[in-house]
Amino acid sequence: MLLAGQLQHVNGQTSFDQHLLVITRKVVRRFCSVSGIDVLTDSFLKALVTHLHAAYFRIKYHVPYHYIDLTQTKVTYQHLMSLTQFSLRPFEQFLKMAIPSDELALITVYFGGEIRRLSPDWLASAKHPDVWLVCTSGIGTSQLLYQQLATRYPSIVFSQPMSLEDFYRHDLIDERPKLILSTAKLPETIAVPTLWVQAIPSSNDFQRLNQAFYRVGLLDDSGGAQLAQAVLDIITDYARVDDFTGLTGSLRDYFQQTPVTQRVGERRSLAALISEDHIQVLAGVSDWTIAVHQALQPLEIAGIVDPDYANHIIEATQTSGPYMVLKEGIMLAHSKPTDGVNELGMSVLVLKTPVVLSAHGQQRSLRVIFGLAPTDRQTHVQALSQLLALLQNEELYQRLILADNHDEVHHVLVEATALIS
């Protein structure tokens, strides 16, 4: 009974406390991964491990606990309760028991308070979303759907995934979203437009989503905006985009403001940007950071980039992970024009022996590194579209990663350029 009471702090030195701290850290990391909010701070971790210490003994020894605001918490934080329940899986495994609803509600309030402190808009946006997500699958898959949509359409506010039971509790007349996306079959009598989607959308699903968002006014239906969205759809099938909002805005500005005939004349092809003296084929290197420097070396020698440009790429990768890896074995190493770019240029390094990129808890095998020095948001678009075409062409992709000399690499680039002229 004593151990089950609310505590102000715990010793932290016993083997139990040390083990519980490891479990709590896993819980918080799972929450960060599904919510997109970094709540892994020392102060929050200390508060949560103290709470879970008492909760462990209450649940383990069936000490009754009743959370008086359970019903209201389920209404106010229903989406957050789902995320919290998913995050607490390591704690449940430690307990070897399920967490009762009352305990779950109290832990949810802990997370809710920290989110309100760090990112108040996150909770506020969940109350009046443009699009509701109704899912029948587990929280992990549902969150994957949410993250894909929220990342791909940053201008649209999506609800956190809700179950069918939660969905029927809502008042469509009062809350009235513009669209409902569901992985389950909903009644045809619903007064709000609905669209069935897979938990992991395909390219066809995203085309249907685009059309639905245009119909309800959530996406700009101008020609430039639609073309920008089409380009985004292609890019995100093959690469991770670190800043969707910025990329979307840049593409829209580009396609809406610049006539097509003018754009074609300004852009340079992949083969033109990567001249033969910008191609390297090496047996291997000892570290991925050396590989990045080596890939950018031709651009440094030509004065296209400053010597420190490669360091910006390495720092960004160490901070955010290997998001510049477009496809297995292929990295597009690049940074901002303001990080030491003097003129537009590209280079390529082929490694006969792969090197492992290890950053931010993730690992990728690298065979080819393309170096990109962009001067603006427009002039390298054609070259990148040709690079994406190369990666989609399995024959060219294999020839590139297996190339033995400059000539073989150059021929691949020329053929890729011909795919999109």
Side-chain angles (χ1 to χ4, degrees):
M1 291 292 290
L2 195 61
L3 290 170
Q6 291 293 335
L7 306 174
Q8 297 298 319
H9 66 275
V10 294
N11 187 327
Q13 302 304 314
T14 68
S15 60
F16 173 82
D17 290 335
Q18 292 294 321
H19 193 183
L20 183 60
L21 178 61
V22 172
I23 298 298
T24 305
R25 192 180 295 275
K26 289 181 180 179
V27 167
V28 177
R29 282 178 174 159
R30 281 170 70 91
F31 185 86
C32 294
S33 69
V34 297
S35 69
I37 302 175
D38 185 6
V39 296
L40 187 56
T41 62
D42 289 340
S43 59
F44 180 65
L45 193 61
K46 182 178 180 181
L48 186 60
V49 75
T50 301
H51 174 78
L52 292 183
H53 188 285
Y56 174 89
F57 290 101
R58 283 198 300 270
I59 300 168
K60 194 75 173 177
Y61 298 107
H62 308 288
V63 177
Y65 173 77
H66 177 59
Y67 187 69
I68 57 174
D69 292 326
L70 176 61
T71 302
Q72 184 58 42
T73 298
K74 282 187 173 181
V75 173
T76 306
Y77 291 127
Q78 64 90 15
H79 64 289
L80 192 55
M81 285 190 74
S82 297
L83 301 191
T84 305
Q85 186 173 28
F86 168 77
S87 305
L88 286 168
R89 197 75 49 79
F91 185 59
E92 286 186 322
Q93 293 170 346
F94 182 46
L95 274 166
K96 297 182 173 60
M97 299 174 67
I99 298 175
S101 296
D102 294 272
E103 294 282 1
L104 175 61
L106 185 54
I107 298 169
T108 298
V109 171
Y110 267 78
F111 277 105
E114 187 67 4
I115 288 174
R116 184 172 282 109
R117 185 179 72 83
L118 295 175
S119 184
D121 292 343
W122 190 88
L123 284 173
S125 67
K127 296 178 181 178
H128 302 288
D130 300 316
V131 178
W132 286 5
L133 300 182
V134 182
C135 298
T136 56
S137 56
I139 183 66
T141 308
S142 301
Q143 274 302 310
L144 180 60
L145 173 61
Y146 170 79
Q147 289 177 348
Q148 288 182 91
L149 293 172
T151 302
R152 196 157 186 148
Y153 304 99
S155 62
I156 300 175
V157 179
F158 296 91
S159 76
Q160 287 288 326
M162 65 181 76
S163 66
L164 282 170
E165 181 182 0
D166 290 328
F167 169 71
Y168 288 122
R169 289 199 194 105
H170 286 274
D171 189 331
L172 282 172
I173 296 177
D174 287 344
E175 300 178 57
R176 196 162 185 85
K178 294 182 178 179
L179 181 67
I180 297 172
L181 300 181
S182 176
T183 60
K185 186 171 178 59
L186 298 177
E188 296 180 0
T189 55
I190 291 177
V192 175
T194 63
L195 181 68
W196 178 86
V197 293
Q198 300 181 86
I200 303 178
S202 65
S203 297
N204 288 336
D205 290 328
F206 278 117
Q207 292 177 10
R208 292 169 51 239
L209 285 166
N210 289 343
Q211 293 169 1
F213 293 150
Y214 287 129
R215 282 197 298 270
V216 299
L218 291 173
L219 287 180
D220 185 353
D221 62 357
S222 66
Q226 292 195 41
L227 185 55
Q229 189 63 51
V231 172
L232 277 174
D233 289 343
I234 295 172
I235 292 173
T236 51
D237 281 338
Y238 296 94
R240 170 185 158 182
V241 177
D242 204 38
D243 181 5
F244 251 82
T245 304
L247 180 58
T248 302
S250 299
L251 287 173
R252 285 181 178 176
D253 290 346
Y254 177 62
F255 288 126
Q256 288 175 339
Q257 296 176 10
T258 312
V260 173
T261 54
Q262 180 181 348
R263 292 196 300 266
V264 170
E266 292 175 347
R267 296 177 296 186
R268 295 171 63 186
S269 71
L270 186 65
L273 281 178
I274 306 179
S275 56
E276 292 194 41
D277 56 343
H278 289 181
I279 298 172
Q280 301 176 84
V281 179
L282 299 179
V285 294
S286 59
D287 184 80
W288 71 270
T289 59
I290 296 174
V292 171
H293 276 287
Q294 186 68 43
L296 272 297
Q297 189 179 69
L299 302 184
E300 293 178 16
I301 293 173
I304 293 173
V305 298
D306 294 339
D308 198 42
Y309 182 69
N311 290 329
H312 289 286
I313 297 170
I314 293 168
E315 289 169 8
T317 304
Q318 290 170 334
T319 300
S320 302
Y323 67 93
M324 298 184 205
V325 177
L326 303 183
K327 186 175 180 177
E328 183 60 33
I330 309 290
M331 179 181 185
L332 178 63
H334 64 285
S335 193
K336 302 187 295 294
T338 54
D339 286 337
V341 176
N342 301 315
E343 60 181 280
L344 177 65
M346 287 188 72
S347 60
V348 61
L349 168 67
V350 177
L351 299 172
K352 299 304 297 174
T353 301
V355 65
V356 175
L357 188 163
S358 181
H360 207 62
Q362 302 176 62
Q363 291 189 332
R364 298 287 188 275
S365 177
L366 294 182
R367 295 290 297 268
V368 179
I369 299 178
F370 284 92
L372 170 64
T375 53
D376 53 37
R377 298 169 175 174
Q378 302 175 4
T379 50
H380 58 277
V381 170
Q382 185 177 24
L384 289 190
S385 66
Q386 291 163 349
L387 175 57
L388 290 174
L390 188 163
L391 300 183
Q392 294 173 47
N393 187 306
E394 191 61 26
E395 180 191 350
L396 289 180
Y397 166 70
Q398 291 295 332
R399 283 170 54 194
L400 175 66
I401 63 175
L402 298 175
D404 289 319
N405 53 59
H406 290 64
D407 288 342
E408 291 180 10
V409 175
H410 178 68
H411 288 316
V412 169
L413 298 179
V414 170
E415 290 183 41
T417 297
L419 292 175
I420 300 179
S421 57

